[in-house]
Amino acid sequence: MPISVICKKTDMAEIDSLLSKELDYRQGQSFYRFANADGKMWMIPIRDIRIGMNLYQPGGRNGKLLKNGLPILHRIPQVRKFLHIESVRCELKEDLKKLLCRLFHIDDFQFSLFCGAPSATQKIIIQLSRGNEIVGYCKLTDNTDVKKLFNQETETLLFLHEKGITNIPFPLYCDEYEPGIRAFVQTTEKTSASVIVHHWTEGHRQFLDRLYETTKTITAFEQTDYYRYIEYLSSHLHFVPATDTEYIRKSIDFVKGVYSSRQDFSAFHGDFTPWNMFMEQKKLFVFDWECAERTFPPRMDAIHYILQTALLEKHLDRDASYRYLQEQIHTHFEDSVGMYRLTIAYLLYIIAYYFMLYGKEYDITEPNYMTRIGILKKLTAQFKLENA
């Protein structure tokens, strides 16, 4: 499932335009609308604020305080003013509401809304609920490239269900329900009692083991989805600062040596992170499969989980992220050398991913790139890995 090059982030004006097409602000119920420092925006129904806040999945301490505290303190005007929370009235327009009622076999529902993370793949996400029950989710876009991601996610979920993986959403609908606007609708097992876990557990390992066992396939390395990414990076080294080129080229040669003789590859979630999963009755449920691939090095999602947690939840710098990576690998995985090899392969993938997404527009001075390339340099300096 090839990823297309998208050279600009979605402008918030585009999201506002899409909102104006799907929301009627002249009537409806009351919502709280608020945003965070990253430019993410939510609309949560006041009447069912506790169930609505399930759509808000913060990683940082302040966000977690807001999620737990707002349902208790939201009636205090000073609190809302301090948090820059405004009240609005709206409802979904009739065509979308009828579609969702038909798909879930219901006659009415409450909804919460998230405008997505500012990025090239930004989209609107709607959580549907009835009382204390979360019914399902709907994603909306009018962006051509994001529509392709909706199609890919639908295909991936159907493929995984055929393989017997059920602790994932089931796609109910993926089509343009009105000219130019595509909806992707899916089920969920999430409840108000579901728990977001922000550390590695046995449940995470079991899920990735199951994903590997049910989707593993024998194929030549040159025919894998993963190979496409490192070949792209290899042929676009002019995007990379000259000081990084040698390390990336050396790492590509190393990874080709490691995986050229390996025959089994398996599915890759692509964004296996705390905010894309939850625990329900001690079982891990994983959603948001739009970045998934079919033939990747097994269990690479574990490295993504560790480093994304370090970067985006703990906000660690390069050295602290590297120490966190080492700690997690040696605490949770028996084959530490194999995991370091996998880390090199992952770092090449994630660097290639962002160059494929943004091309020359990708900001190589931003902290996450600097941290990833810094860790890659540290790993390539380890004698055992270079000569394994």
Side-chain angles (χ1 to χ4, degrees), residues 157-158 161 168-173 184-188:
L157 291 173
L158 291 174
H161 274 280
I168 58 175
F170 188 84
L172 298 177
Y173 181 90
F184 171 51
V185 184
Q186 57 189 300
T187 63
T188 186

Side-chain angles (χ1 to χ4, degrees), residues 70-81:
L70 188 61
I72 300 171
L73 304 174
H74 71 97
R75 298 292 182 185
I76 304 174
Q78 293 86 344
V79 170
R80 299 198 303 273
K81 182 177 180 181

Side-chain angles (χ1 to χ4, degrees), residues 173-317:
Y173 181 90
C174 183
D175 204 349
E176 296 199 6
Y177 74 97
E178 64 177 63
I181 300 178
R182 174 152 298 191
F184 171 51
V185 184
Q186 57 189 300
T187 63
T188 186
E189 298 293 329
K190 193 174 187 181
T191 72
S192 58
S194 297
V195 177
I196 309 299
V197 180
H198 297 269
H199 60 274
W200 189 262
T201 70
E202 180 66 11
H204 295 80
R205 185 194 66 77
Q206 290 176 355
F207 183 88
L208 293 185
D209 285 350
R210 170 79 170 150
L211 187 65
Y212 167 65
E213 292 297 335
T214 57
T215 67
K216 63 182 177 182
T217 183
I218 296 175
T219 186
F221 180 50
E222 292 77 11
Q223 300 301 315
T224 63
D225 295 323
Y226 175 76
Y227 186 83
R228 186 180 73 250
Y229 285 88
I230 63 169
E231 278 298 284
Y232 179 91
L233 185 58
S234 181
S235 61
H236 289 79
L237 287 177
H238 55 283
F239 288 166
V240 178
T243 52
D244 301 341
T245 303
E246 177 187 353
Y247 294 96
I248 291 180
R249 184 178 290 115
K250 184 185 296 184
S251 299
I252 289 173
D253 291 341
F254 170 76
V255 165
K256 286 182 176 180
V258 170
Y259 290 105
S260 60
S261 60
R262 187 183 183 104
Q263 293 185 319
D264 58 322
F265 296 87
S266 60
F268 173 66
H269 178 276
D271 199 13
F272 194 77
T273 52
W275 50 92
N276 285 331
M277 57 188 68
F278 58 87
M279 298 290 290
E280 177 65 28
Q281 297 182 352
K282 298 183 179 181
K283 187 175 182 180
L284 187 71
F285 288 82
V286 182
F287 55 92
D288 204 355
W289 289 82
E290 66 182 33
C291 295
E293 300 284 0
R294 300 282 181 92
T295 48
F296 254 57
R299 304 176 182 88
M300 185 179 282
D301 283 308
I303 303 299
H304 184 80
Y305 185 98
I306 293 169
L307 287 179
Q308 291 296 86
T309 299
L311 292 175
L312 302 182
E313 288 202 334
K314 297 181 178 296
H315 304 290
L316 303 180
D317 62 18

